[in-house]
Amino acid sequence: MALLNVNIDHVATIRQARLTDEPDPVWAAVQCELAGANGITVHLRQDRRHICDRDVIVLKETVASKLNLEMCMDEEMVKIAEKIKPDQVTLVPEKRQELTTEGGLDCAGQKKRLEQVVKRLHKKGILVSTFIVPDEEQICVSAETGCDAVELHTGMYANAKNDKQAEKTLNAIRDGRDIAVSCGLIVHAGHGLTYRNIGAAAAIEGLCEFNIGHSIIARAVLVGIQQATREMIELISKV
Ligand code: PXP
């Protein structure tokens, strides 16, 4: 069965709306873990619009499962990861104006930098994954630069307008998985996954880990974060 990391960025977004100290994403992480989450994901953005340095530092001390830090390859971020040493870093592209991570990382266009970053993070014992569209070149470069895993971008699937389009995007994910596995990479997936669309994605064999945020936190507002986490785990494990 695939594992679930809950992305708790939105909890910090609520806190930052009033620049106060609640709700604390650290408390949310505890609740997710109590409900069975296999990991906690946070994105430390350059503008610190939600998760702050303090959150990553405290989460590193308190998360008992796995802490997955999403970040761009900017030098400031790499230095923070080297210092805090999360269990896993997922490298993402970052644009200041975007609402959420929009595309995949261009590994091919930044191969040299990626290679250096992977080496530095490995030296600290951190697993490295790249968030990429399921494109052969991006997958191969991730493997060539020494990454441990790739997170295949499921946004195209999530945005599919009809069943035919959805099937096409699922096939692209399956093809990406095959290439990644043949390169020796672990395969993760995420972005735009919801209680309604997780079924078909979870049915794809070989996807080891899902990173899901918006949909779980949106449901948590109404039913509580433990129940929201449990319901997603149930859907992932049903297939
Ligand atoms: N994976 C990555 C790399 C992301 O950047 C995000 C969004 O922060 C997610 C997964 C989760 O996406 P969503 O919030 O749409 O579930």
Side-chain angles (χ1 to χ4, degrees):
M1 184 193 123
L3 306 178
L4 172 67
N5 296 339
V6 181
N7 180 317
I8 56 171
D9 292 349
H10 282 4
V11 177
T13 299
I14 298 172
R15 177 190 61 192
Q16 295 311 106
R18 287 291 171 94
L19 297 176
T20 176
D21 57 1
E22 62 179 7
D24 191 330
V26 175
W27 294 1
V30 172
Q31 299 285 326
C32 293
E33 288 193 308
L34 287 173
N38 306 101
I40 301 298
T41 296
V42 289
H43 184 176
L44 185 66
R45 296 187 70 102
Q46 290 175 290
D47 61 8
R48 309 300 198 271
R49 71 168 78 146
H50 40 58
I51 293 294
C52 304
D53 301 52
R54 166 267 179 200
D55 301 328
V56 188
I57 292 166
V58 181
L59 287 166
K60 162 67 187 177
E61 295 302 319
T62 53
V63 167
S65 53
K66 170 178 179 174
L67 178 61
N68 175 36
L69 174 64
E70 289 177 7
M71 57 175 225
C72 67
M73 288 201 285
D74 186 78
E75 186 56 24
E76 183 203 9
M77 291 299 154
V78 177
K79 285 203 170 109
I80 289 171
E82 285 179 316
K83 204 163 155 200
I84 300 178
K85 301 189 200 76
D87 301 291
Q88 179 173 295
V89 160
T90 300
L91 296 168
V92 300
E94 190 170 308
K95 290 194 210 105
R96 276 180 198 263
Q97 297 312 318
E98 67 192 359
L99 286 179
T100 178
T101 317
E102 278 165 7
L105 186 69
D106 179 13
C107 301
Q110 307 169 81
K111 191 171 177 184
K112 217 166 172 182
R113 174 68 179 159
L114 179 58
E115 201 161 26
Q116 293 165 350
V117 170
V118 172
K119 219 175 257 167
R120 284 170 62 181
L121 297 177
H122 275 170
K123 254 192 197 160
K124 301 290 178 185
I126 304 166
L127 283 173
V128 186
S129 177
T130 52
F131 179 56
I132 54 172
V133 292
D135 169 81
E136 183 166 8
E137 189 184 17
Q138 301 298 345
I139 297 166
C140 292
V141 170
S142 297
E144 285 159 21
T145 50
C147 293
D148 305 284
V150 285
E151 180 176 334
L152 299 179
H153 197 319
T154 49
M156 303 262 271
Y157 161 63
N159 293 331
K161 296 275 180 286
N162 51 49
D163 289 353
K164 200 173 155 197
Q165 250 186 38
E167 197 44 42
K168 205 172 149 191
T169 59
L170 287 169
N171 280 333
I173 295 168
R174 287 187 196 101
D175 291 346
R177 169 211 54 195
D178 290 344
I179 299 165
V181 168
S182 72
C183 293
L185 292 161
I186 301 164
V187 192
H188 306 157
H191 213 283
L193 295 173
T194 69
Y195 295 84
R196 289 186 184 82
N197 68 20
I198 185 67
I204 297 178
E205 268 180 53
L207 300 185
C208 302
E209 192 174 294
F210 289 107
N211 285 296
I212 307 180
H214 181 85
S215 191
I216 293 177
I217 305 302
R219 182 166 293 217
V221 172
L222 303 173
V223 306
I225 200 162
Q226 284 210 30
Q227 190 179 324
T229 302
R230 275 195 296 266
E231 286 179 30
M232 187 58 84
I233 291 171
E234 209 177 300
L235 291 174
I236 291 172
S237 61
K238 217 153 82 181
V239 292

